[in-house]
């Protein structure tokens, strides 16, 4: 039986308002947006914000939790896909969209991989675990470089996500990721078109 008490109605309303305003602020100004401004826009004091979200990472984790859960579930689903390279690429595109949701988020996630103190570290480990099964399957099938590690793959993804924000128009992250993915194919697969949309 859980010892966690349900939130009072007014606390729940404050919590939801803070998430709405944080989502808007981060979308407009990036993850470094003022938390004081977020609290003010939500109609609460900064103390109320910190009671719900003790750190900025706690707030970001709350905003992205559904997306992380979706990505973990998608990885499990893609393990049954016919083409293991296409499956890995599809998962990376989805996670790339998550990691580039807000300006500055890519750098936070890249740092959190190596920082157990970060509230985002557990989510990064969860994504590494999800990716590892897809990577292992593609490597065993001989279609992905055998020397590639999951950590390297996620850092390459973060790089593509960051770079994609500096290209004009939409789809920058996917464009860069498709270019990177060509070099991740097993040597005998390079130069062949089709699969993973990279060629």
């Amino acid at each position: 039986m859980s010892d966690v008490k349900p939130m009072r109605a007014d606390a729940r309303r404050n919590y939801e308002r803070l998430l709405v305003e944080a989502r808007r602020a981060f979308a407009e100004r990036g993850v470094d947006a003022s938390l004081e401004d977020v609290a003010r826009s939500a109609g609460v004091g900064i103390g109320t914000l910190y009671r719900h979200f003790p750190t900025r990472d706690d707030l970001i984790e709350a905003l992205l939790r559904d997306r992380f859960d979706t990505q973990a579930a998608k990885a499990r689903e893609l393990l049954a896909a016919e083409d293991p390279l296409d499956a890995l690429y599809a998962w990376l595109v989805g996670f790339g969209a998550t990691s580039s949701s807000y300006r500055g988020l890519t750098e936070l996630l890249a740092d959190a991989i190596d920082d157990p103190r970060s509230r985002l570290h557990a989510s990064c480990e969860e994504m590494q675990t999800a990716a590892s099964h897809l990577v292992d399957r593609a490597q065993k099938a001989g279609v992905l470089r055998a020397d590639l590690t999951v950590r390297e793959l996620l850092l390459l993804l973060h790089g593509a996500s960051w770079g994609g924000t500096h290209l004009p128009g939409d789809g920058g992250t996917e464009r860069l990721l498709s270019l990177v993915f060509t070099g991740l194919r097993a040597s005998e697969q390079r130069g062949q078109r089709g699969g993973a949309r990279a060629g």
Side-chain angles (χ1 to χ4, degrees), residues 62-83:
L63 286 173
L64 297 178
R65 174 39 45 199
D66 285 347
R67 297 191 190 187
F68 287 138
D69 289 343
T70 297
Q71 284 303 120
K74 187 66 174 177
R76 293 190 292 271
E77 176 186 320
L78 285 168
L79 286 173
E82 182 177 351
D83 187 316

Side-chain angles (χ1 to χ4, degrees), residues 24-130:
R24 179 180 296 122
F26 291 164
E28 292 175 354
R29 300 187 291 280
V31 294
D32 291 328
S34 165
L35 296 186
E36 286 80 4
D37 287 347
V38 169
R40 188 178 305 111
S41 296
V44 301
I46 189 64
T48 297
L49 184 149
Y50 283 127
R51 277 195 296 277
H52 287 293
F53 310 105
T55 69
R56 185 180 296 269
D57 283 0
D58 283 296
L59 180 53
I60 294 170
E61 162 69 19
L63 286 173
L64 297 178
R65 174 39 45 199
D66 285 347
R67 297 191 190 187
F68 287 138
D69 289 343
T70 297
Q71 284 303 120
K74 187 66 174 177
R76 293 190 292 271
E77 176 186 320
L78 285 168
L79 286 173
E82 182 177 351
D83 187 316
L85 201 59
D86 277 348
L88 177 60
Y89 183 78
W91 187 85
L92 289 171
V93 169
F95 185 47
T98 294
S99 65
S100 57
S101 300
Y102 308 120
R103 189 172 67 253
L105 178 59
T106 296
E107 294 92 322
L108 274 184
L109 293 176
D111 289 341
I113 291 176
D114 295 318
D115 185 4
R117 297 168 300 175
S118 169
R119 181 66 176 82
L120 293 167
H121 181 72
S123 292
C124 288
E125 285 196 320
E126 181 183 8
M127 294 302 98
Q128 285 190 110
T129 298

